[in-house]
Amino acid sequence: MTVSIDYRTCPLCEATCGLEVTHEDEKVVRIRGDREDVFSHGYICPKGSTLGKLDEDPDRIRTPLIKREGAHVPATWDDAFELIEARLRPIIAEHGPNSVAVYLGNPNVHSMSGTLYPRVLLKMLGTKSIFTAATVDQMPKHVSSGLMFGHPDLIPVPDIDRTSFLLMLGANPYESNGSLATAPDWPGRLQAIRDRGGKVVVIDPRRTRTAAAADEHVFIRPGADALFLFAIANVLFAENLVDLGSLTDNVSGLDIMAVAVEPFTPEQVADATGVAAERTREIARALAGSESAAVYGRIGTHTAEFGAMASWMVDALNVLTGNLDRPGGAMFPEAAHEQPRERRGFRVGRWQTRVSGHPEVRGELPVSAMAEEILEPGDDRVRALITIAGNPVLSTPSSDRLDAALAGLDFMVSVDIYLNETTRHADVILPGASPLRRPHYDFAFNQLAVRNVANYSPALFPLPDGTPDEWQVLLRLGATLSGQGRDADLDILDDGVFGMMVGSATASPASSIHGRDPEEIFTATAGGRGPERMLDFLVRTGPYGDGYGATPDGLSLQRLSESPHGIDLGPLRPRLPDALCTPSGVIELAPEHLVSDVPRLLASAGRISNGGFLLIGRRDVRSNNSWMHNIDVLVKGKQRCTLQISAADAERIGLEPTGRAKVSSEVGALVVPIEISDDIMPGVVSLPHGWGHDLEGSALSVASERPGVNTNRLSTGAVDPVSGNAILNGIAVEVVPA
Ligand SMILES: Nc1nc2c(c(=O)[nH]1)N[C@H]1C(S)=C(S)[C@@H](COP(=O)(O)OP(=O)(O)OC[C@H]3O[C@@H](n4cnc5c(=O)[nH]c(N)nc54)[C@H](O)[C@@H]3O)O[C@H]1N2
Ligand SMILES: Nc1nc2c(c(=O)[nH]1)N[C@H]1C(S)=C(S)[C@@H](COP(=O)(O)OP(=O)(O)OC[C@H]3O[C@@H](n4cnc5c(=O)[nH]c(N)nc54)[C@H](O)[C@@H]3O)O[C@H]1N2
Ligand code: SF4
Ligand SMILES: [Mo]
């Protein structure tokens, strides 16, 4: 045995921590934070050190499984694909590609294969029935970014390392380690704001660890963020505090914005938000008066009835105070693989869902509508489903209904690493790779990082003999479904996919390799086949790339490989107006599609509490959505799946402090242990998501010992009509002693 140390990036959450992995051959001995990592400097959370346990987990599936008489049994890859071909091809032939839906889950954005190859599969399949975890997450941000800045991925991040005032809503980075703002060690970076004399204000219906560590915490009624943010904008206009600074010539729609926010005085929204009018005014003034400031809103503001309104106003406030695109404000990262974008603008609603007519956004449909697209009779209903790295039975709304819908599918395929609540419905499960057995580069999160960095790690351990990598699985699935056949030559297919990438870059005037010979570029690209070859190409043609010789000391896969602790590309730099993709070339502060939702928001300002409870979620640093509960060290200890409720509320409804409550919503009911908490706003209860591991047919031996309950049995399936995003926070529930 040889003991070695290697450096890898943790792929579990958005923080992208560097890991130092000590291993004896293929056995992990220890994982700790990589102190030399250019971004994380040794920071790590409890999950990062468990990647060896995940690799060794006997429940992690390693061979394809086929469902025979209700039970999943191991099968060869050939048998699995033969069955898929035999069952799905006729469905496609008879009912068309839209009859096969695809659901892409969150871990896809944490893997190279999952970022680059599902889109190839989708293209080969040609379905419009596309659902992803984005509509239980950040879709409002894509909508507001798309409409304001012209591209749904042009997302500003708070420059937390330089700001002097951070207003944070609906985010709890002490547990989540941050989201849509990649920064290893958020806690340390927040503390640093205060250490340099700055201020952190947290708006949350719960006094989270993040809120407790901030200068100020303000309770807000769940779902009321958009109203609160509109009121702040109202104060900025009313008190003449609007100052666009250097953006002045690059903003359109200021007048429309002024009119839109006019009715939203702090007094007008105070009952609905639960925030005193004077407090709102003070925050508005602080925002305008700080040397630099950033408003940052995350999942609590997005998974809400007015998610898009809130997302819009977060960025609008950064514009109105002159803080967008300047150091210490909210800035646009520039990742090493970024490619030139066209100024095409952004539209939603190019087509609609069959049953409820929800508009598509970014080519996808709200996952809240997936069950009805399957269940509602009709010629063009969804009959088959492919899930890739997703667990929608636990993660998406109205779980009971979706669970029933999946049980009734004609055929289902899952690409996954566990036999869990969702994949137990699959006729065929194809295993994905353990994180330590695949290369890593964060396509998604380098584009959202508070500092420009690039960090690549090759696979630490090899895949077992005969096991394809996940990109090969996805390509083979594409070949099987598109009629090229399950035995199509994947190398030729992949060369074709890559060749198209090269061809469109050499043909694009915006590319650094415009006009070059595609053949030459193709041959000069390193990384073999698959995602690493694409990475080499994207980085070399990216903003810091070597341009295939044009900038010899620029970045390439080779350079990344020589830098196991990552490459620091410096603090974020102003990028406007050049980076904007709006047809007008300026920031659209008041896009029509968003403005048209303002009356609906205004009507909500009159709502008053009916005395019932509003349910919100919560995260714990040892969880990762639904799928890390099979790692013993992460779930042992005190039960975490509890209903948090204030002492006063518990007493009022007669709950014993150590008792259990029955929680019911419009669509479901469950019984859960309660936890009295001083930290939760009266009238609000909180239950974490990702639990409920007691469904028959799963094979999660550790998780099933502490199943918890699935909070999404209570979420109704209602969506924010502008973005199609699920409403997961602020759900009306009844709570009684069980
Ligand atoms: N009530 C409520 N619900 C929520 C949320 C909330 O805050 N409250 N949060 C929402 C959010 S933000 C998200 S992102 C979604 C997540 O929604 P999902 O992505 O649907 O759910 P996950 O729990 O992340 O499940 C990931 C699945 O991928 C599998 N997996 C893990 N790694 C790999 C891999 O490398 N390859 C493959 N093929 N499979 C892999 C796991 O076994 C698991 O089945 O949940 C949402 N649901
Ligand atoms: N440990 C751990 N880390 C994770 C994950 C995980 O499951 N576990 N999931 C990862 C994923 S996929 C994502 S998307 C990110 C999410 O990262 P975050 O956005 O930081 O998510 P949360 O930690 O759930 O924090 C959301 C906060 O919003 C509050 N909230 C709820 N409703 C409202 C509301 O109406 N208004 C306001 N202002 N606040 C509200 C909640 O009380 C909570 O404190 O985390 C990622 N990191
Ligand atoms: S914070 Fe996220 S990236 Fe860092 S070790 Fe934990 S799970 Fe991994
Ligand atoms: Mo997420």
Side-chain angles (χ1 to χ4, degrees):
M1 292 232 190
T2 41
V3 176
S4 345
I5 294 182
D6 282 286
Y7 299 93
R8 291 296 178 271
T9 307
C10 177
L12 294 176
C13 88
E14 300 182 33
T16 71
C17 300
L19 304 178
E20 181 193 279
V21 188
T22 308
H23 57 103
E24 282 177 3
D25 300 329
E26 288 185 36
K27 183 162 173 55
V28 171
V29 177
R30 182 180 67 187
I31 297 183
R32 58 180 190 182
D34 172 9
R35 274 168 291 188
E36 287 174 63
D37 184 279
V38 297
F39 198 18
S40 62
H41 310 291
Y43 181 81
I44 186 173
C45 88
K47 294 184 297 297
S49 58
T50 65
L51 287 174
K53 304 227 161 25
L54 178 61
D55 191 65
E56 289 162 19
D57 186 350
D59 288 338
R60 187 171 62 77
I61 57 177
R62 291 164 171 81
T63 65
L65 301 176
I66 289 180
K67 202 182 211 173
R68 291 231 165 85
E69 283 147 28
H72 284 92
V73 295
T76 64
W77 286 92
D78 283 338
D79 286 349
F81 276 99
E82 190 183 327
L83 184 61
I84 293 169
E85 187 164 63
R87 296 291 302 280
L88 280 184
R89 286 289 298 159
I91 295 176
I92 297 169
E94 193 175 338
H95 303 286
N98 293 346
S99 64
V100 181
V102 176
Y103 174 79
L104 303 174
N106 168 275
N108 284 303
V109 288
H110 295 272
S111 94
M112 296 179 72
S113 294
T115 313
L116 298 172
Y117 283 84
R119 63 179 79 160
V120 180
L121 166 66
L122 288 171
K123 206 158 184 190
M124 293 173 93
L125 174 59
T127 183
K128 278 189 173 159
S129 306
I130 301 170
F131 304 88
T132 84
T135 49
V136 277
D137 192 343
Q138 81 286 2
M139 197 54 108
K141 186 49 78 187
H142 292 303
V143 170
S144 63
S145 274
L147 295 169
M148 294 175 79
F149 310 126
H151 197 287
D153 296 333
L154 208 43
I155 294 174
V157 302
D159 185 12
I160 54 175
D161 291 346
R162 289 180 290 185
T163 197
S164 38
F165 184 88
L166 180 65
L167 175 62
M168 179 155 48
L169 308 98
N172 185 11
Y174 268 68
E175 307 291 348
S176 70
N177 280 299
S179 181
L180 295 189
T182 283
D185 193 14
W186 258 89
R189 290 169 201 260
L190 288 177
Q191 187 55 43
I193 296 177
R194 307 183 63 199
D195 291 347
R196 58 178 183 264
K199 209 169 162 185
V200 178
V201 177
V202 172
I203 314 288
D204 199 301
R206 198 164 70 87
R207 190 180 300 101
T208 60
R209 285 205 287 142
T210 306
D215 295 276
E216 279 175 46
H217 167 230
V218 181
F219 278 135
I220 189 165
R221 275 179 58 79
D225 296 79
L227 289 172
F228 172 71
L229 292 160
F230 268 65
I232 291 185
N234 172 286
V235 175
L236 294 179
F237 281 103
E239 300 191 2
N240 273 321
L241 297 172
V242 172
D243 177 2
L244 305 187
S246 62
L247 296 173
T248 305
D249 296 333
N250 292 309
V251 175
S252 122
L254 188 62
D255 299 353
I256 303 173
M257 169 67 66
V259 174
V261 302
E262 209 186 317
F264 296 86
T265 63
E267 289 73 17
Q268 170 76 12
V269 305
D271 283 344
T273 59
V275 182
E278 199 43 38
R279 200 68 210 84
T280 306
R281 287 183 196 284
E282 282 163 18
I283 292 172
R285 290 170 196 146
L287 206 55
S290 296
E291 204 181 320
S292 64
V295 185
Y296 164 66
R298 202 36 196 111
I299 203 150
T301 64
H302 293 155
T303 51
E305 187 182 353
F306 297 97
M309 291 288 98
S311 178
W312 171 33
M313 203 45 68
V314 162
D315 290 331
L317 291 178
N318 288 323
V319 174
L320 294 172
T321 54
N323 280 301
L324 189 82
D325 197 43
R326 75 154 165 172
M331 303 189 76
F332 296 96
E334 187 168 31
H337 64 278
E338 190 182 296
Q339 299 289 304
R341 300 182 174 112
E342 285 172 53
R343 285 206 161 161
R344 268 197 307 215
F346 176 74
R347 282 197 313 140
V348 306
R350 292 163 299 172
W351 54 87
Q352 281 78 29
T353 60
R354 178 178 67 100
V355 181
S356 293
H358 295 298
E360 66 71 41
V361 180
R362 284 179 108 204
E364 51 180 284
L365 307 172
V367 68
S368 302
M370 191 159 78
E372 68 185 23
E373 292 295 308
I374 298 169
L375 292 170
E376 194 70 23
D379 237 17
D380 43 0
R381 72 180 184 89
V382 167
R383 292 155 200 273
L385 174 67
I386 301 170
T387 68
I388 305 170
N391 192 4
V393 168
L394 292 194
S395 300
T396 73
S398 290
S399 306
D400 291 342
R401 187 153 188 247
L402 182 65
D403 197 45
L406 299 194
L409 284 166
D410 293 357
F411 198 72
M412 176 167 157
V413 181
S414 291
V415 184
D416 208 282
I417 59 172
Y418 283 112
L419 173 47
N420 64 15
E421 299 75 18
T422 295
T423 61
R424 75 196 220 282
H425 290 295
D427 297 280
V428 177
I429 309 177
L430 303 169
S434 147
L436 294 178
R437 295 173 192 273
R438 60 180 198 227
H440 192 75
Y441 171 89
D442 277 292
F443 288 108
F445 304 111
N446 287 339
Q447 196 62 70
L448 293 163
V450 303
R451 204 175 163 87
N452 291 317
V453 290
N455 208 328
Y456 157 77
S457 0
L460 181 63
F461 303 147
L463 285 165
D465 277 346
T467 304
D469 207 341
E470 201 156 332
W471 65 271
Q472 291 163 314
V473 175
L474 298 177
L475 262 190
R476 191 171 181 189
L477 205 47
T480 306
L481 301 182
S482 65
Q484 299 180 53
R486 65 190 142 92
D487 294 320
D489 187 326
L490 300 184
D491 287 350
I492 294 178
L493 272 179
D494 194 46
D495 284 349
V497 173
F498 181 61
M500 289 206 291
M501 237 172 155
V502 174
S504 63
T506 51
S508 160
S511 171
S512 65
I513 55 164
H514 177 235
R516 300 271 295 266
D517 173 15
E519 198 58 41
E520 172 222 332
I521 301 292
F522 192 105
T523 338
T525 307
R529 288 201 168 79
E532 282 157 300
R533 171 166 68 179
M534 293 180 183
L535 174 62
D536 187 44
F537 171 79
L538 292 170
V539 165
R540 293 174 77 176
T541 54
Y544 319 85
D546 74 359
Y548 286 85
T551 316
D553 57 348
L555 293 188
S556 61
L557 182 63
Q558 174 72 24
R559 279 279 309 280
L560 293 179
S561 308
E562 290 159 6
S563 315
H565 309 291
I567 295 176
D568 182 24
L569 301 164
L572 305 185
R573 288 175 288 271
R575 296 192 61 190
L576 299 191
D578 295 352
L580 293 171
C581 300
T582 48
S584 61
V586 299
I587 297 168
E588 295 292 349
L589 192 58
E592 165 68 39
H593 185 61
L594 297 175
V595 173
S596 68
D597 199 35
V598 173
R600 191 178 65 98
L601 178 65
L602 188 58
S604 80
R607 281 185 210 162
I608 39 165
S609 164
N610 64 1
F613 286 99
L614 294 178
L615 175 69
I616 62 169
R618 70 177 186 270
R619 283 176 162 76
D620 181 284
V621 74
R622 286 159 299 166
S623 275
N624 197 15
N625 295 324
S626 75
W627 67 277
M628 293 285 285
H629 294 151
N630 211 49
I631 307 297
D632 185 42
V633 290
L634 293 177
V635 286
K636 68 181 186 200
K638 202 174 121 218
Q639 158 80 280
R640 299 207 305 271
C641 187
T642 57
L643 185 81
Q644 290 188 345
I645 185 168
S646 73
D649 281 335
E651 197 184 299
R652 179 166 59 85
I653 60 170
L655 279 176
E656 294 295 327
T658 55
R660 283 142 59 90
K662 181 176 175 205
V663 191
S664 336
S665 76
E666 216 177 275
V667 298
L670 41 81
V671 172
V672 58
I674 68 154
E675 181 184 345
I676 304 283
S677 169
D678 293 338
D679 296 329
I680 195 142
M681 190 175 179
V684 178
V685 287
S686 162
L687 193 58
H689 75 286
W691 298 87
H693 305 293
D694 52 359
L695 298 181
E696 212 176 312
S698 308
L700 299 165
S701 51
V702 176
S704 61
E705 280 173 23
R706 298 163 164 272
V709 294
N710 175 9
T711 188
N712 281 320
R713 295 182 56 210
L714 302 173
S715 44
T716 63
V719 301
D720 165 22
V722 180
S723 63
N725 208 85
I727 301 171
L728 302 173
N729 280 299
I731 295 162
V733 291
E734 188 190 28
V735 183
V736 295

